[in-house]
């Protein structure tokens, strides 16, 4: 790690929030929607998922497109429930740790997400913790709100410019190696999360 870390940019799913994509895949399978993930298990096979993530299409348009992918007569609400099945929760130890980090660093969020998932996890968080999730960060950048997504290097450049941070003094924390590698191109320092191992390691590497 080079230089003194002053800022930390966190990913959401797979880092702060527990995810189980298998639950959504199974939920869709029961609705007659199959083959949504490619052979690597890391990319969607249909552009509609990415269009939702950058706010190019609405929730209604997304659900409508998915009904066409099924050979069953299904309701949009059933698709929405299956789509949200992957969202689990945000363990208290991670939230407490973020609260402590706020006293030492400028903390940001950069997440590839969508309006359907966002509504689910924000509501779930508020019910559990009694305050708004975004209050954990100086600013939260959601792909569907800024119109771009990781690993596009323009996404990292936008966050750097908008937040006024210095890349060499900023740690980017993500569970996707593809995102990590593209973030490096902007000069950001990086920490690749594997199995939610970031709490102690991030703290040790930012001293």
């Amino acid at each position: 790690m080079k230089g003194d870390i002053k800022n930390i940019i966190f990913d959401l799913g797979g880092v702060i929030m527990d995810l189980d994509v298998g639950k959504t895949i199974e939920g869709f399978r029961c609705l007659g929607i199959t083959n949504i993930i490619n052979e690597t298990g890391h990319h969607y096979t249909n552009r509609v998922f990415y269009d939702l993530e950058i706010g190019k299409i609405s929730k209604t348009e997304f659900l409508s497109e998915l009904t066409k992918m099924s050979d069953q007569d299904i309701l949009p609400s059933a698709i929405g429930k299956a789509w949200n099945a992957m969202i689990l929760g945000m363990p208290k130890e991670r939230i407490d740790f973020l609260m402590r980090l706020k006293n030492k660093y400028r903390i940001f969020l950069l997440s590839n997400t969508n309006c359907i998932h966002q509504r689910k996890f924000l509501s779930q968080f508020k019910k559990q913790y009694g305050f708004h999730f975004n209050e954990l960060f100086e600013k939260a950048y959601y792909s569907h709100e800024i119109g771009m997504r990781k690993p596009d290097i323009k996404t990292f450049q936008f966050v750097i410019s908008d937040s006024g941070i210095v890349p060499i003094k900023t740690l980017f924390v993500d569970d996707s190696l593809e995102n990590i590698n593209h973030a490096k191109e902007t000069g950001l320092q990086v920490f690749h999360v594997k199995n939610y191992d970031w709490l102690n390691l991030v703290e040790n590497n930012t001293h």
Side-chain angles (χ1 to χ4, degrees):
M1 198 93 56
K2 302 176 182 177
D4 297 325
I5 296 298
K6 303 296 184 184
N7 324 290
I8 308 177
I9 304 171
F10 284 98
D11 175 37
L12 178 55
V15 176
I16 300 172
M17 181 170 67
D18 287 336
L19 291 178
D20 187 345
V21 178
K23 288 183 177 295
T24 284
I25 293 174
E26 175 60 20
F28 278 161
R29 187 193 66 77
C30 292
L31 296 175
I33 302 171
T34 58
N35 301 319
I36 67 168
I37 300 290
N38 71 3
E39 64 279 359
T40 70
H42 295 292
H43 297 283
Y44 291 111
T45 56
N46 193 305
R47 182 68 206 177
V48 68
F49 295 98
Y50 298 113
D51 286 345
L52 184 69
E53 273 196 349
I54 60 172
K56 187 175 180 180
I57 61 173
S58 67
K59 169 185 174 180
T60 300
E61 291 170 320
F62 173 76
L63 296 178
S64 175
E65 285 300 312
L66 261 67
T67 60
K68 298 174 185 177
M69 294 168 61
S70 173
D71 57 3
Q72 301 178 21
D73 184 15
I74 53 178
L75 295 173
S77 59
I79 296 176
K81 182 177 181 180
W83 181 229
N84 278 338
M86 70 173 76
I87 298 174
L88 302 182
M90 302 188 209
K92 188 175 186 300
E93 62 177 354
R94 296 178 202 156
I95 303 308
D96 289 344
F97 187 58
L98 288 173
M99 294 292 286
R100 294 197 299 272
L101 285 179
K102 283 183 64 175
N103 295 323
K104 298 172 60 178
Y105 308 98
R106 296 178 67 194
I107 305 295
F108 300 89
L109 182 80
L110 174 57
S111 172
N112 286 348
T113 191
N114 58 83
C115 58
I116 302 174
H117 284 168
Q118 184 191 51
R119 181 175 181 179
K120 170 71 174 181
F121 67 72
L122 289 183
S123 173
Q124 190 170 275
F125 184 92
K126 182 67 178 297
K127 182 180 295 185
Q128 180 176 357
Y129 293 104
F131 64 96
H132 198 289
F133 174 67
N134 290 357
E135 293 176 12
L136 288 168
F137 311 96
E138 182 171 325
K139 188 166 184 177
Y141 296 94
Y142 295 108
S143 60
H144 68 291
E145 294 179 347
I146 63 176
M148 58 187 83
R149 65 187 298 279
K150 300 172 291 184
D152 188 338
I153 196 168
K154 292 181 180 178
T155 306
F156 299 107
Q157 292 170 335
F158 171 79
V159 172
I160 290 168
S161 175
D162 186 75
S163 62
I165 59 177
V166 177
I168 194 64
K169 294 184 179 295
T170 304
L171 182 66
F172 173 66
V173 182
D174 200 295
D175 65 324
S176 163
L177 188 57
E178 184 177 16
N179 293 342
I180 288 290
N181 289 334
H182 281 74
K184 285 181 181 178
E185 296 180 32
T186 67
L188 290 167
Q189 299 201 53
V190 298
F191 181 86
H192 183 210
V193 174
K194 301 174 183 178
N195 298 317
Y196 303 95
D197 61 357
W198 60 272
L199 275 74
N200 292 330
L201 293 176
V202 167
E203 188 166 40
N204 290 339
N205 281 282
T206 50
H207 282 166

